[in-house]
Amino acid sequence: MRAVARRFAVSVSVVSRAWRRYQEKGQYTRRRGGGRRRATTQQQDRYLRLSARRNRRSTARALQNYLQQAKNVHVSAQTVRNRLHEDGARVLDIARCLPTALSNRNAFGTAVIHVGLHQHRMVQELCTGL
């Protein structure tokens, strides 16, 4: 047992308890963790992922509202961000979209004239660099 414990970098008591449970039940299944329960189910997480893929320009707050209207589930915008981060997806963050130098209306107008783009096209170009 010590060799097995050393091999897996766990204590001997962990190995002995697992071996005893295997002998009693004939199989070893991992017990559920004792952590905090999730605010959303797997189906709700899937709905969030699909909504984010369908509406790529939507924010976490908008996805939160979609989930609340469709499934009557109240979760925070941070929970929405966490669920999408688990999947490797991201939501649009309007605050990071425009640089602070362009938040001034005059500077933004000058930049649009200089680049020769319409305002909405300029915002789209800046936001795609996320």
Side-chain angles (χ1 to χ4, degrees):
M1 288 215 187
R2 287 184 182 162
V4 174
R6 252 183 277 125
R7 171 101 169 115
F8 291 106
V10 294
S11 66
V12 177
S13 64
V14 171
V15 175
S16 67
R17 277 184 288 164
W19 178 247
R20 193 174 334 120
R21 201 163 74 207
Y22 175 76
Q23 287 177 326
E24 288 173 3
K25 300 195 179 207
Q27 64 180 358
Y28 179 79
T29 55
R30 186 173 177 176
R31 292 182 186 171
R32 276 189 73 179
R36 183 180 174 99
R37 294 186 186 260
R38 292 175 68 95
T40 56
T41 63
Q42 289 180 348
Q43 290 83 9
Q44 293 161 353
D45 293 345
R46 184 172 181 265
Y47 179 81
L48 282 173
R49 285 192 305 270
L50 291 174
S51 297
R53 285 188 190 132
R54 285 184 190 132
N55 310 318
R56 291 206 182 265
R57 309 293 299 168
S58 58
T59 61
R61 190 72 63 186
L63 291 172
Q64 174 191 12
N65 290 335
Y66 295 154
L67 183 65
Q68 185 173 347
Q69 290 170 357
K71 306 287 183 181
N72 198 21
V73 176
H74 303 280
V75 294
S76 67
Q78 186 60 50
T79 300
V80 172
R81 284 187 207 96
N82 292 343
R83 295 304 178 263
L84 294 177
H85 180 72
E86 290 170 4
D87 190 44
R90 294 177 67 176
V91 292
L92 181 67
D93 190 358
I94 298 297
R96 288 188 303 171
C97 199
L98 286 176
T100 54
L102 293 180
S103 62
N104 185 345
R105 190 176 277 280
N106 292 336
F108 185 70
T110 305
V112 170
I113 292 169
H114 178 69
V115 176
L117 298 174
H118 296 294
Q119 285 186 355
H120 71 280
R121 182 72 177 130
M122 182 70 174
V123 171
Q124 287 176 348
E125 288 295 321
L126 290 171
C127 290
T128 55
L130 293 175

